[in-house]
Amino acid sequence: MSSRTTTSLYHMIWAHYRLPFLKVILLNLVNAAVSVGIIAYINHTFISQPVFDTLSLLSLGYFAALITLLLITTFLSQYALTRLGHQFVYELRTKLVKQIIDTKVPQIDHLGSARLIASLSSDIQSITTAFVRMPELVQGVILSAGVALYLGWLSLPLLFIIMFWIVMTIWISTILVKHVYTHLIELRAINDFLYQDYQSIIEGRKELALNQYRAEKLYSDDFLSHAKSYQQTVIKSDTFHLSAVNWSNIMMFASIGVVFAVSNYLNIPMGVATTFSLTILFMQSPILHAVGAYPTLQTAQVALDKIQSLELADYQAEFMTDHVAKDWQSISLTDVGYRYGGINTQTQEIAVDANNPADDILKSVNLTVRRGDVVFLIGANGSGKSTLAKIITGIFTPTTGSVQVDQDNIDSENNADYRQLFSAIFSDQHLFKQLIGNQGNQPDEALISDWLQKLNLQDKVSVSDHQLSTDKLSQGQRKRLAMLLSVAEQKDILLLDEWAADQDPAFRRVFYQTLIPELKALGKTLFIISHDDSYFEHADRLLLMKEGRLIELNAEERQRASTDAIAMLQ
Ligand SMILES: Nc1ncnc2c1ncn2[C@@H]1O[C@H](COP(=O)(O)OP(=O)(O)OP(=O)(O)O)[C@@H](O)[C@H]1O
């Protein structure tokens, strides 16, 4: 996991994009120099000319050339910064998605899809917006510095007074902008709640359609209150922002009066005062844009902090190594315990309460599965079967105890390789439309068409270019499609979590009597969670999970389980 300390946006850009950023700064410096050159040219050529008819055509030509140069350098500097910004956003987005793929399932479960989607959409969007506005800020700052140098050369005392005026203006505007930042943090937190509401409204659409009271409650109590507090907070944030912009705008305007008053007082020539005023008017727009761009950068910082607070896995470009133990003989669990982590309300991280053993969902589980075994796991609801399935497949890491393949311990180093031994169909499986073969290769077409028939899907689904023609099927048929995908993967071990529960009685029989032997004939080790007591005879081994403890049933107990499963589970 990445550390909890957050990195500033500026530091991140500087650390990873130093050279292109320096190039951008250089272009901006050239741009500022051309701008200052134009002001100087206007001052010396136009303002110092007593009457306009003394102007030569040549000086107008120079002026036009300078303006063209300004157009080109402005375009180039903004283009370079925009490209850099979008490169940064591209890398951030692609890394974030890879980090989500690499992050452990419990952490993703804990974050929930609403928070992740909020980051992938709204946070990335905020950072993109900041980069779109960043040229204005960088140009505003560099231009101000360049212009200050020129004005200082014209009159140092006048520059100091005007600088004092502008610094005071910006300082007060910064105080206002700080309030913007506070509200932006608040807004981002409310955004997470809004995304949760969207998720409930979309995923709970059937339940809401059937119960208008629930729909109204969700809409009025949750969604409206979040939408309202978003509205109130965004108004406060925008008000501070507007105040900052207006304050800067008016104070810049007022500074023209200050220039003339001070010039009068200090006997500074009118030409110099006029150039100062002209320059301030010229600088007003870039400075205001820079002040306006600042909050978007702050929003981006809030977004970046939020992304970092997700505690995703560190970024790594590659997917995994290829050290899968192909000739394994046994998988063992030794004294395995598992406890779901609670959420630490202060840090918002998952934390396991080590002091409460009563929370153990799995208690000292010992099991050895040998290659080729057909193992059935039975047990009451909530006894820990699915939790055990996630431990066996390496999706969860045991809180205590260990998992071994033959003699090798599974740890954080080899966990990803270990997981590649398995195909699994969990009760909330996600159905991908693309079929993938052994080790990511193209699937075996003969195997697929054979299993399409076996799963009785040949009239419903076709496979073209390794893609399923449809996934708009009944729940039982979708489970069969998931089986097709698993068979295509040609993994050593297939784990099925109550797969048969969605099948009709006729196909359930086909599954236990025909498909299980077929899968076994393919060389697979099968780990099947089942409640179908009339088919327990098809297991090589029958395991019972009782309140987190795993028991292997002997012949007599198996007989009893098959005839009176209810008594056995109690
Ligand atoms: N995401 C979770 N967070 C916290 N506790 C959980 C979570 N999932 C399950 N549990 C706890 O673990 C216990 C066992 O859950 P599990 O899903 O392993 O049961 P199961 O035997 O597969 O049940 P079922 O037959 O209903 O599928 C549950 O009773 C619950 O207390």
Side-chain angles (χ1 to χ4, degrees):
M1 293 273 161
S2 52
S3 73
R4 196 65 200 259
T5 51
T6 55
T7 316
S8 91
L9 193 63
Y10 309 106
H11 178 258
M12 213 161 151
I13 295 169
W14 186 245
H16 299 286
Y17 304 91
R18 190 167 307 170
L19 271 181
F21 201 70
L22 283 175
K23 197 177 106 189
V24 166
I25 300 274
L26 196 71
L27 275 167
N28 272 283
L29 281 172
V30 173
N31 179 256
V34 175
S35 303
V36 174
I38 289 179
I39 293 172
Y41 192 79
I42 293 173
N43 180 30
H44 292 285
T45 314
F46 301 151
I47 297 179
S48 56
Q49 298 292 328
V51 277
F52 280 106
D53 56 9
T54 60
L55 283 175
S56 71
L57 222 55
L58 188 67
S59 53
L60 284 176
Y62 279 142
F63 181 63
L66 278 173
I67 293 292
T68 313
L69 193 62
L70 183 64
L71 268 174
I72 294 169
T73 54
T74 306
F75 171 79
L76 285 181
S77 57
Q78 290 201 347
Y79 177 72
L81 196 51
T82 303
R83 266 185 70 104
L84 174 65
H86 288 297
Q87 174 68 18
F88 176 82
V89 171
Y90 166 81
E91 285 183 17
L92 188 69
R93 174 179 281 139
T94 48
K95 280 184 178 173
L96 185 61
V97 168
K98 180 64 171 58
Q99 283 178 281
I100 292 175
I101 292 174
D102 289 342
T103 299
K104 288 181 178 166
V105 174
Q107 172 69 2
I108 299 290
D109 287 349
H110 155 67
L111 291 169
S113 56
R115 256 178 91 179
L116 289 167
I117 289 173
S119 276
L120 282 168
S121 50
S122 111
D123 290 337
I124 297 279
Q125 182 57 47
S126 302
I127 293 170
T128 311
T129 310
F131 272 105
V132 172
R133 301 291 308 268
M134 204 186 222
E136 293 166 4
L137 185 71
V138 173
Q139 270 188 337
V141 171
I142 294 181
L143 202 59
S144 305
V147 160
L149 282 178
Y150 174 64
L151 293 182
W153 179 71
L154 282 182
S155 164
L156 220 46
L158 194 52
L159 175 72
F160 282 140
I161 290 166
I162 290 304
M163 284 270 280
F164 174 75
W165 185 269
I166 291 179
V167 166
M168 196 194 66
T169 302
I170 292 179
W171 176 63
I172 292 181
S173 135
T174 317
I175 295 173
L176 293 168
V177 165
K178 263 192 193 140
H179 289 276
V180 178
Y181 188 66
T182 318
H183 288 111
L184 285 175
I185 295 173
E186 233 177 281
L187 275 179
R188 183 57 191 83
I190 301 171
N191 228 356
D192 270 346
F193 288 118
L194 279 173
Y195 271 84
Q196 276 166 24
D197 296 338
Y198 302 153
Q199 192 183 26
S200 301
I201 287 163
I202 294 166
E203 290 182 2
R205 58 195 177 278
K206 295 187 290 296
E207 290 76 8
L208 296 180
L210 292 176
N211 192 330
Q212 286 298 297
Y213 295 109
R214 183 183 290 285
E216 191 186 355
K217 228 173 161 33
L218 175 64
Y219 182 78
S220 308
D221 294 358
D222 296 341
F223 170 68
L224 278 190
S225 87
H226 295 144
K228 195 82 205 156
S229 55
Y230 190 94
Q231 183 202 25
Q232 286 163 347
T233 314
V234 83
I235 288 175
K236 281 186 214 157
S237 154
D238 282 356
T239 308
F240 278 110
H241 179 210
L242 281 175
S243 311
V245 170
N246 284 338
W247 162 258
S248 316
N249 199 358
I250 290 165
M251 292 304 277
M252 287 285 285
F253 200 52
S255 66
I256 294 173
V258 175
V259 166
F260 282 106
V262 171
S263 303
N264 217 330
Y265 187 69
L266 296 180
N267 278 333
I268 292 170
M270 199 42 98
V272 171
T274 313
T275 305
F276 260 81
S277 308
L278 200 75
T279 309
I280 288 168
L281 284 177
F282 169 74
M283 286 305 299
Q284 192 169 10
S285 166
I287 288 187
L288 284 182
H289 278 123
V291 171
Y294 194 59
T296 63
L297 287 174
Q298 291 185 315
T299 318
Q301 184 62 56
V302 174
L304 193 67
D305 291 348
K306 198 77 189 175
I307 289 174
Q308 286 168 353
S309 77
L310 297 175
E311 291 277 284
L312 298 174
D314 287 336
Y315 172 73
Q316 51 183 45
E318 66 283 356
F319 268 80
M320 64 194 156
T321 51
D322 208 6
H323 305 307
V324 181
K326 293 191 185 72
D327 52 357
W328 65 277
Q329 292 305 315
S330 68
I331 290 175
S332 307
L333 272 59
T334 309
D335 291 330
V336 162
Y338 189 77
R339 193 179 303 174
Y340 285 93
I343 297 168
N344 182 324
T345 45
Q346 267 165 11
T347 60
Q348 285 300 305
E349 287 170 10
I350 337 182
V352 172
D353 179 4
N355 298 324
N356 192 1
D359 290 343
D360 281 346
I361 299 302
L362 297 183
K363 294 163 188 141
S364 198
V365 168
N366 288 289
L367 170 69
T368 298
V369 177
R370 289 172 294 272
R371 195 178 186 109
D373 275 351
V374 175
V375 180
F376 280 19
L377 173 63
I378 63 172
N381 291 141
S383 56
K385 303 182 296 299
S386 299
T387 308
L388 180 65
K390 285 171 189 149
I391 296 272
I392 290 180
T393 48
I395 289 173
F396 287 179
T397 308
T399 316
T400 53
S402 59
V403 178
Q404 294 96 23
V405 175
D406 299 330
Q407 308 310 321
D408 297 333
N409 258 333
I410 300 305
D411 53 28
S412 57
E413 289 291 306
N414 54 14
N415 182 281
D417 292 332
Y418 168 71
R419 291 197 301 262
Q420 309 315 308
L421 288 173
F422 296 86
S423 272
I425 306 178
F426 292 105
S427 42
D428 57 351
Q429 111 283 359
H430 177 82
L431 195 59
F432 290 95
K433 281 183 87 173
Q434 186 173 28
L435 289 146
I436 286 182
N438 186 19
Q439 294 201 309
N441 296 322
Q442 297 203 341
D444 179 338
E445 288 181 14
L447 183 73
I448 301 223
S449 83
D450 187 27
W451 275 80
L452 260 181
Q453 303 270 343
K454 285 188 166 79
L455 292 161
N456 201 14
L457 288 170
Q458 70 280 9
D459 299 331
K460 280 281 173 187
V461 185
S462 58
V463 177
S464 147
D465 201 17
H466 316 308
Q467 293 273 343
L468 300 173
S469 58
T470 181
D471 58 359
K472 303 271 180 287
L473 297 171
S474 75
Q475 186 64 12
Q477 288 169 330
R478 283 171 59 82
K479 280 281 171 80
R480 289 191 220 172
L481 268 189
M483 173 84 80
L484 184 74
L485 264 83
S486 295
V487 169
E489 287 177 1
Q490 299 188 334
K491 297 285 192 74
D492 285 354
I493 312 167
L494 177 58
L495 186 144
L496 303 173
D497 191 346
E498 298 183 34
W499 182 88
D502 291 311
Q503 303 304 317
D504 62 53
F507 201 81
R508 198 174 298 174
R509 187 191 300 160
V510 171
F511 168 66
Y512 285 106
Q513 293 186 345
T514 314
L515 297 188
I516 287 182
E518 299 247 8
L519 289 165
K520 194 171 171 161
L522 287 175
K524 289 192 192 303
T525 304
L526 299 174
F527 195 93
I528 296 171
I529 298 177
S530 168
H531 292 302
D532 297 321
D533 45 7
S534 39
Y535 297 104
F536 287 170
E537 68 200 83
H538 296 285
D540 295 336
R541 300 166 64 188
L542 190 59
L543 308 175
L544 170 67
M545 181 65 87
K546 229 173 184 176
E547 293 169 4
R549 295 193 186 279
L550 191 70
I551 307 152
E552 178 145 13
L553 303 186
N554 59 30
E556 191 192 322
E557 290 165 331
R558 285 184 61 155
Q559 190 58 35
R560 266 181 44 218
S562 299
T563 48
D564 190 359
I566 299 171
M568 196 54 120
L569 299 186
Q570 278 167 356

